[in-house]
Amino acid sequence: MLKAYKFRLFPTKTQRSKMERTLDLCRWVYNQTLAYRKDAWEKEGRSTSKYETNNLLPNWKVEKPDLNEVFSQVLQNTQERVDLALKAFFRRVKAGEKPGYPRFRGSGWYDSFTYPQFGFKLLCGKLRLSKIGDIKIKLHRPIEGKIKRLTVRRSSTGKWFACFTVEIDDPPKPPWKDGLSVGIDVGLESFATISNGEKIGNPRFFRSDETALAKAQRRLSKCAKGTSQRRAAVKVVQRVHERIANRRYNFAHQMSNQLVSKYGLIVFEDLNIKNMLKNHCVAKSISDAAWRMLVTTTSYKAESAGSKVVLVDPRNTSQLCSRCGVKVPKSLSDRVHECTQCGLVMDRDENAAINILRLGMQSLRKSDRSPSL
């Protein structure tokens, strides 16, 4: 079982320069590798492998001695990224999609490098990177398991992070928790409505910082390109976006932790958010809500918490009556469910959440159900 750990790095000015230089050289290797494989196909009609491009590195190091400043396996991993990008492109083509061909990376558009096996070591409060040095690292929690890979990433605001991929023994799967079952209907007016009637407010992180973002973008638009003032204005815009993303990420983790600690069965709708974003009237609000992030974080936490997450078909969950099953058509503006058959009157989202829970229960085999369910 693989697990990821992410820690903040605090490099010195000299170390930061070396890391920036490493990113630039990796970007050069990426573009050269992509150009070589592209030309081989277009001019000679042959496909090249990752190992063929690995054999080009010694000659490139002779032509460009600066490449010796980078650990050899880091450069090989850069070529592996090209290989993965091309494989993903052809896989999507065969599937009938219309993907874009892998693009060359411009200056500033390459933000991470990877040590796939060796070249790094954790010391007392330091991370030793080959060709770079000992960098101060904030180890806010212990690392459990065997470290297999390290990726050093630079954020848009210039912060550096170390991301460790760790291999651990598969822990025994906990028994299904004898807890409550719950259906969750996500929305825009309320972020989520639970089948027990509880509502979770929509924090609207982007909307709350939209004024500050607009102000920063106006200042950016007035700065001439290529000036130091424009670079500083870009940093301000990036910090606002980073603050919004961090708040949204923290909210999703807190909410998912509460769900898996309280409920044994958690049922969500399997929403096609990509299609929903085509409605430009609500696309910004849907993106701001980040429903998929909640489902993802809840799913992987449930595996180790003894809970179970089920996704169900969202069709007609808002239209059907949760008591008698009669279809009661209603528009988005209708916020109250009123059944003409059985007389049930309740909140529209709560009615949908109850239907979601019912579908989740029906999708489980009898042998898979917890005794308490």
Side-chain angles (χ1 to χ4, degrees):
M1 180 178 177
L2 296 178
K3 189 175 182 180
Y5 290 87
K6 183 178 179 181
F7 303 101
R8 177 80 183 275
L9 294 175
F10 297 91
T12 63
K13 187 175 181 180
T14 301
Q15 291 169 342
R16 190 180 298 110
S17 298
K18 290 181 179 180
M19 294 161 77
E20 296 279 359
R21 181 61 175 164
T22 299
L23 287 177
D24 194 54
L25 291 171
C26 288
R27 181 179 66 87
W28 185 89
V29 171
Y30 184 96
N31 290 338
Q32 288 292 111
T33 304
L34 181 58
Y36 178 84
R37 298 187 66 160
K38 186 172 182 289
D39 291 342
W41 177 260
E42 292 179 349
K43 296 179 180 179
E44 304 175 23
R46 66 182 182 90
S47 60
T48 55
S49 66
K50 175 182 65 175
Y51 305 103
E52 181 178 344
T53 56
N54 287 160
N55 293 331
L56 298 173
L57 282 175
N59 294 330
W60 288 354
K61 288 182 178 180
V62 174
E63 299 172 4
K64 192 177 180 66
D66 292 347
L67 293 177
N68 292 300
E69 300 175 12
V70 183
F71 188 61
S72 59
Q73 288 194 358
V74 172
L75 298 178
Q76 292 173 4
N77 176 263
T78 302
Q79 295 183 321
E80 183 180 357
R81 295 185 183 189
V82 178
D83 185 66
L84 293 174
L86 289 171
K87 287 180 178 178
F89 169 76
F90 289 116
R91 182 176 64 250
R92 295 178 64 188
V93 169
K94 291 180 179 178
E97 303 178 30
K98 294 183 179 180
Y101 193 80
R103 294 187 293 180
F104 294 97
R105 303 295 182 91
S107 178
W109 286 90
Y110 199 92
D111 294 327
S112 66
F113 56 91
T114 300
Y115 291 84
Q117 292 176 320
F118 310 105
F120 62 93
K121 185 178 182 180
L122 276 174
L123 305 173
C124 297
K126 299 280 187 178
L127 174 62
R128 177 169 295 173
L129 298 180
S130 178
K131 307 282 188 174
I132 295 176
D134 296 345
I135 304 174
K136 184 180 178 181
I137 182 172
K138 179 66 175 179
L139 292 170
H140 58 271
R141 58 174 174 164
I143 299 178
E144 301 175 355
K146 183 179 180 181
I147 300 175
K148 304 293 289 184
R149 174 182 291 245
L150 166 65
T151 297
V152 179
R153 188 180 69 84
R154 179 189 61 189
S155 70
S156 60
T157 56
K159 298 176 183 177
W160 292 88
F161 297 91
C163 304
F164 295 93
T165 301
V166 178
E167 185 179 52
I168 59 177
D169 296 332
D170 291 341
K173 194 170 183 180
W176 192 343
K177 185 189 302 179
D178 287 343
L180 300 174
S181 55
V182 67
I184 299 178
D185 178 62
V186 293
L188 296 178
E189 185 174 340
S190 298
F191 178 78
T193 302
I194 301 177
S195 54
N196 59 11
E198 180 184 351
K199 284 183 174 289
I200 299 173
N202 191 348
R204 295 182 173 88
F205 296 111
F206 183 84
R207 296 288 187 180
S208 62
D209 274 357
E210 199 169 16
T211 302
L213 180 61
K215 184 178 179 180
Q217 289 175 329
R218 282 196 299 270
R219 290 180 178 176
L220 172 63
S221 64
K222 296 177 182 178
C223 298
K225 293 183 178 181
T227 61
S228 59
Q229 290 83 0
R230 185 176 180 86
R231 287 192 292 271
V234 168
K235 290 293 183 184
V236 174
V237 174
Q238 290 172 337
R239 288 192 190 100
V240 176
H241 278 295
E242 183 183 55
R243 182 170 67 244
I244 295 170
N246 288 343
R247 288 175 178 174
R248 186 184 294 124
Y249 184 77
N250 182 61
F251 174 76
H253 274 280
Q254 288 184 346
M255 184 175 173
S256 61
N257 187 57
Q258 293 174 7
L259 290 174
V260 300
S261 61
K262 187 176 181 181
Y263 300 108
L265 174 66
I266 306 167
V267 187
F268 291 100
E269 293 176 295
D270 189 11
L271 298 173
N272 190 339
I273 298 177
K274 185 177 180 180
N275 285 342
M276 297 174 69
L277 292 176
K278 295 178 181 178
N279 184 350
H280 299 294
C281 297
V282 293
K284 184 187 292 187
S285 297
I286 291 174
S287 298
D288 190 16
W291 299 325
R292 181 57 61 183
M293 184 181 295
L294 173 65
V295 176
T296 302
T297 54
T298 305
S299 298
Y300 80 77
K301 288 182 181 180
E303 293 183 7
S304 57
S307 300
K308 190 175 186 67
V309 173
V310 177
L311 301 180
V312 299
D313 191 343
R315 286 180 296 180
N316 295 324
T317 53
S318 297
Q319 308 295 329
L320 297 178
C321 178
S322 59
R323 177 183 291 175
C324 63
V326 173
K327 188 173 182 180
V328 183
K330 54 180 78 72
S331 63
L332 287 175
S333 60
D334 298 327
R335 306 312 305 170
V336 178
H337 170 77
E338 299 180 1
C339 181
T340 57
Q341 186 74 19
C342 65
L344 177 64
V345 178
M346 67 188 311
D347 181 78
R348 167 204 179 105
D349 295 333
E350 184 180 352
N351 176 73
I354 296 174
N355 285 328
I356 292 169
L357 174 59
R358 175 180 54 81
L359 292 174
M361 294 288 292
Q362 292 174 355
S363 67
L364 296 177
R365 295 179 303 174
K366 187 174 182 180
S367 59
D368 289 339
R369 300 179 184 174
S370 171
S372 64
L373 302 179

